[in-house]
Amino acid sequence: MESCLMIDLQYNLDKLNEKINNALIKAGRKNEPIRLVAVTKTVSVDLINTSIDFGIKDIGENKVQEIQNKYENVKKPVKWHMIGHLQTNKVKAVISKVDLIHSVDSIRLMEEINGQAAQLGKIMEILIQVNISGEVSKFGINKYDIWEFFERIGQLHNVHIAGLMTIAPFAPEQSRLVFAQLYKLFVDIKSKNYDNVTMEYLSMGMTNDFEAAILEGANVLRIGAGIFGARQYL
Ligand SMILES: *Cc1c(COP(=O)(O)O)cnc(C)c1O
């Protein structure tokens, strides 16, 4: 069984990398770096460890509880990403463990992250999650409300805004339009040179829409099923 899983993983990763490279070529972005976050929700610690042996450098979880459960048992060097909705009262539980929080969607959450990071003497890198399409996804801030984050961040010294994240709607034909809009916002913010803000990461694209995301400028992909197979929720 174990070797079976390993063969699948190698095959899936090879296939994925090939598709990523093809999409980069199509986008005229050949050899540009892509940060691949392997989304490990519901994936066992053993399989996570194996994936790291196969070259995975970043893993993403969407639940605080799952990070807490797995963290100590993933013994190999890897960067952890919080990609799911984060409640302010759970920030303390993950702040020392994660490298990048993709899902910051309120000023209050950003302030709490800043406070907890200050206690650790850490500067936490965050992305602002934007809900471009409005009605489709529950989380993420409205694109018109994003500017207040950049006003506030100047006074927060233990948090750094490193880019934007979005989750596209389920209909693939709408995804590309959403990604294009987020890219536009990304470029717009970049041009403003806010203190304590670098538009370095554009986190968009999952198993079913990462090629469209690459065509529209994504440089961080969050991919679960495309690496580990369809999730088995128990
Ligand atoms: C689960 C999840 C992903 C990965 O989804 P797949 O379809 O398995 O690639 C990406 N981003 C977020 C926020 C997720 O919760």
Side-chain angles (χ1 to χ4, degrees):
M1 276 311 274
E2 183 70 8
S3 66
C4 222
L5 280 177
M6 286 168 69
I7 289 160
D8 276 352
L9 199 53
Q10 185 69 74
Y11 174 82
N12 290 349
L13 282 170
D14 287 349
K15 243 191 128 117
L16 179 61
N17 282 319
E18 192 185 314
K19 284 184 183 162
I20 291 171
N21 286 330
N22 287 340
L24 281 171
I25 290 167
K26 198 170 161 193
R29 300 172 55 201
K30 198 176 176 204
N31 298 326
E32 275 186 29
I34 290 273
R35 194 166 184 186
L36 173 63
V37 179
V39 176
T40 51
K41 59 194 192 205
T42 77
V43 174
S44 73
V45 163
D46 282 349
L47 193 52
I48 294 174
N49 280 322
T50 306
S51 75
I52 298 167
D53 288 338
F54 286 179
I56 290 298
K57 295 184 173 60
D58 295 271
I59 59 177
E61 289 283 352
N62 70 336
K63 292 204 176 90
V64 168
Q65 185 70 52
E66 216 166 327
I67 295 177
Q68 287 178 301
N69 291 346
K70 290 174 178 172
Y71 190 79
E72 296 299 327
N73 298 313
V74 174
K75 308 270 191 221
K76 321 228 169 198
V78 74
K79 299 227 152 75
W80 291 75
H81 297 244
M82 177 60 192
I83 62 173
H85 182 63
L86 181 58
Q87 289 171 281
T88 48
N89 64 353
K90 300 272 178 70
V91 170
K92 198 182 169 125
V94 290
I95 191 91
S96 65
K97 300 181 173 66
V98 299
D99 215 64
L100 184 63
I101 300 174
H102 293 227
S103 44
V104 175
D105 60 359
S106 74
I107 299 281
R108 208 176 131 238
L109 176 59
M110 184 168 75
E111 288 171 344
E112 176 65 16
I113 292 168
N114 183 67
Q116 295 291 342
Q119 307 244 327
L120 296 176
K122 174 175 182 169
I123 295 173
M124 188 70 230
E125 298 250 299
I126 63 167
L127 307 181
I128 306 301
Q129 181 175 352
V130 188
N131 183 354
I132 290 284
S133 48
E135 77 274 31
V136 185
S137 111
K138 276 182 293 186
F139 301 116
I141 61 134
N142 184 295
K143 66 181 166 188
Y144 304 106
D145 295 333
I146 198 167
W147 305 100
E148 59 191 87
F149 284 80
F150 307 116
E151 315 276 308
R152 183 75 184 96
I153 191 76
Q155 293 108 271
L156 304 178
H157 301 296
N158 290 83
V159 68
H160 174 79
I161 298 178
L164 304 178
M165 181 272 232
T166 199
I167 300 174
F170 290 113
E173 62 281 9
Q174 286 170 41
S175 301
R176 188 153 174 188
L177 203 64
V178 164
F179 296 147
Q181 288 184 52
L182 193 69
Y183 181 74
K184 202 161 167 284
L185 193 59
F186 182 80
V187 170
D188 203 8
I189 295 162
K190 200 182 227 171
S191 73
K192 300 224 180 338
N193 292 312
Y194 289 106
D195 283 347
N196 204 10
V197 176
T198 50
M199 285 291 114
E200 181 182 359
Y201 294 122
L202 188 55
S203 170
M204 54 187 199
M206 314 186 352
T207 299
N208 290 326
D209 56 20
F210 71 88
E211 285 151 311
I214 290 172
L215 290 175
E216 297 301 341
N219 60 11
V220 179
L221 306 177
R222 307 178 311 269
I223 299 194
I227 296 173
F228 300 107
R231 277 180 290 281
Q232 316 266 306
Y233 287 101
L234 296 176

